Amino acid sequence: MEATISIEREMLLLNRVFAGKNIDTQLIKTAKVDADDALERLKAANLLDQELITGIDADLKEFRDSGIAIQTSYTNYQSALTSFNTHTAEFADLIAIAEEQGDGAVEALKNDPSYEISWDNGLAEKWQAADGGMEASIGFFQQMYFLALMKSEGVSEKLQAQLNEATAFQHGAVEEMLASGLYTNTVPAEFGSGSLEKVYKEYLAQHTQLLNQVVLNLNNFQQQQSLYDIASDKLMQQLAVVEGQADQQVENKVEGIAEQQATTSTTMIMILLGCLAVLIFIAYYVRAHVIKTLLEITYSLHQVADGDGDLTRRLKYNQQDELGDICRSFNRFSEKISTIVEEVNTKSEQLDAGIETCVSLSQRISKETAGTATSASGVSKAIEQVQDGATEIAS
């Protein structure tokens, strides 16, 4: 679709150029690049078979070649037409001067009715100049008319013959007009130098040559335009086939994608069911082994923390995993605590025995101290009696 749009835009721009519109050639180049890019993407998508790709490439080349040819022929035609139009404008002015001069020769007789003249004595020449000038103008305008028909309807054998007749009629009229001998006067300066007869012949010869060039280039342009139209129609038909095949390929791919989606959905459901079963198994395993083991570890730690734990109890989980490492570490911890507690108990018993020994010794010392105190009291009394006796003796 994008390639078709780009090529149609390229055709539209070329047609506008041929219609005399002023179009930037860069727009045409851009349309070509866009069309080529779109076709390359279409090829890269693998939506077309090789035979169709070869066909579209050939038709596109034919279209582009015909486009170049028609642009060249159009340029040549426009160049010839421009030269012809420029010269025709000057020639029309010259024709008007010559016709006016021929009419003036006849009108001079009208203005001077008493002037004696006969057919053999100047009237024939004056009539020849006036009639030839008028017929030359008629032939000139007939040429313009048939040329306009060629532009609108195309160059045909019939129009070419009519144009040739008009040209021959013009040449005959000019010969009749100039044969009168009344055009020996000098032309105005804008037409060059020389007599009106000489300059008129030169302009007529150039006019005929430029007219033939215009018709030749117009005919070539119209022939190239026919070839261009044929190539364009052929390319558009091929593009229609390309679009049809591409659309069919897209539809097939969409159907394939839909089937893949259905298969994928079924596969995903099976995978989800399998994952759900695995999760259920894992949950059961975790609950039966991991959580149970963690609860036992928690209970044992609580018992140890509260001081009521059985330090001889060991966790029975010997798997080689993280829980196994925790259980083994807990068992080692319990064993060390048990050893420490046993040592503390032994030291406590030894301390109790030492305390009992100290108590017995203290009691013995206390008894011996009491006996010593009694003996000291008796000695004190004896000393007092001696003192009393000594005092009496002294008295």
Side-chain angles (χ1 to χ4, degrees):
M1 178 64 73
E2 185 179 354
T4 302
I5 293 174
S6 298
I7 291 175
E8 286 178 342
R9 183 167 65 250
E10 181 180 349
M11 293 178 180
L12 178 61
L13 291 171
L14 285 175
N15 290 333
R16 293 184 66 183
V17 170
F18 305 147
K21 304 294 183 181
N22 187 17
I23 302 298
D24 186 359
T25 56
Q26 186 60 39
L27 294 176
I28 300 176
K29 294 179 181 179
T30 301
K32 288 182 179 180
V33 172
D34 292 342
D36 291 341
D37 290 343
L39 286 174
E40 288 301 322
R41 288 195 297 271
L42 191 61
K43 295 175 186 177
N46 294 323
L47 297 176
L48 308 176
D49 56 49
Q50 188 59 44
E51 182 179 356
L52 189 56
I53 291 176
T54 302
I56 194 68
D57 287 341
D59 291 340
L60 182 60
K61 183 179 184 302
E62 182 180 353
F63 166 72
R64 292 280 169 74
D65 290 343
S66 64
I68 294 173
I70 192 175
Q71 288 184 73
T72 301
S73 64
Y74 179 75
T75 301
N76 294 336
Y77 163 65
Q78 284 296 317
S79 177
L81 184 62
T82 299
S83 299
F84 174 75
N85 289 337
T86 301
H87 182 268
T88 298
E90 297 177 0
F91 189 36
D93 292 338
L94 187 62
I95 290 174
I97 293 174
E99 186 175 1
E100 182 179 355
Q101 185 167 325
D103 292 341
V106 175
E107 289 179 359
L109 297 177
K110 180 179 178 182
N111 295 332
D112 187 7
S114 62
Y115 181 75
E116 294 183 4
I117 191 171
S118 64
W119 185 259
D120 295 332
N121 188 25
L123 180 59
E125 289 78 5
K126 292 182 183 294
W127 177 260
Q128 192 176 8
D131 185 62
M134 181 183 63
E135 289 182 352
S137 296
I138 292 174
F140 173 78
F141 288 112
Q142 282 181 334
Q143 289 175 337
M144 298 301 100
Y145 171 72
F146 291 128
L147 180 60
L149 287 179
M150 288 180 176
K151 292 179 182 178
S152 60
E153 299 177 5
V155 178
S156 64
E157 292 182 1
K158 179 181 178 181
L159 288 176
Q160 184 67 63
Q162 290 174 331
L163 180 62
N164 291 339
E165 289 178 3
T167 301
F169 178 79
Q170 181 192 31
H171 279 254
V174 169
E175 289 179 3
E176 178 186 0
M177 178 186 70
L178 297 179
S180 66
L182 300 179
Y183 296 93
T184 58
N185 57 299
T186 303
V187 295
E190 62 265 24
F191 296 101
S193 60
S195 65
L196 179 57
E197 179 181 356
K198 172 180 174 295
V199 174
Y200 198 106
K201 287 182 178 180
E202 293 174 352
Y203 264 81
L204 178 62
Q206 189 176 4
H207 168 75
T208 304
Q209 180 184 1
L210 292 175
L211 177 61
N212 291 334
Q213 288 179 354
V214 168
V215 173
L216 179 64
N217 284 285
L218 175 60
N219 185 39
N220 184 42
F221 168 65
Q222 291 175 345
Q223 289 178 354
Q224 291 296 333
Q225 192 168 27
S226 297
L227 296 176
Y228 172 78
D229 292 339
I230 293 172
S232 299
D233 292 340
K234 186 178 178 182
L235 178 61
M236 294 307 297
Q237 292 175 4
Q238 189 75 290
L239 286 173
V241 175
V242 168
E243 284 188 12
Q245 187 173 112
D247 291 342
Q248 184 62 45
Q249 291 290 341
V250 170
E251 290 178 2
N252 293 339
K253 287 184 178 293
V254 169
E255 292 177 358
I257 291 173
E259 293 178 358
Q260 291 179 357
Q261 288 178 339
T263 303
T264 303
S265 299
T266 302
T267 304
M268 291 298 295
I269 292 173
M270 297 300 296
I271 292 174
L272 289 175
L273 291 175
C275 292
L276 181 61
V278 171
L279 289 175
I280 293 173
F281 173 76
I282 292 174
Y284 173 78
Y285 177 81
V286 169
R287 181 176 178 83
H289 297 278
V290 177
I291 295 179
K292 180 180 178 181
T293 303
L294 289 174
L295 290 175
E296 290 180 358
I297 294 172
T298 303
Y299 176 76
S300 299
L301 289 173
H302 278 242
Q303 291 295 317
V304 171
D306 294 338
D308 298 330
D310 183 5
L311 296 177
T312 62
R313 181 180 178 182
R314 298 291 182 269
L315 297 176
K316 298 179 180 180
Y317 188 89
N318 297 320
Q319 299 295 328
Q320 297 299 321
D321 53 18
E322 289 78 4
L323 284 176
D325 292 338
I326 293 174
C327 292
R328 286 187 288 273
S329 297
F330 177 81
N331 291 337
R332 289 196 299 272
F333 171 73
S334 297
E335 185 176 352
K336 288 183 179 181
I337 293 296
S338 178
T339 301
I340 292 171
V341 170
E342 290 178 357
E343 291 179 355
V344 169
N345 288 334
T346 301
K347 297 296 183 181
S348 178
E349 290 176 357
Q350 293 176 356
L351 182 60
D352 288 341
I355 290 172
E356 289 180 359
T357 302
C358 289
V359 170
S360 298
L361 181 59
S362 176
Q363 290 177 350
R364 287 177 56 192
I365 292 172
S366 178
K367 289 179 180 180
E368 290 178 357
T369 302
T372 302
T374 303
S375 298
S377 178
V379 171
S380 176
K381 288 180 178 181
I383 291 172
E384 289 178 354
Q385 288 177 359
V386 172
Q387 286 180 346
D388 291 339
T391 303
E392 289 179 358
I393 296 173
S395 323

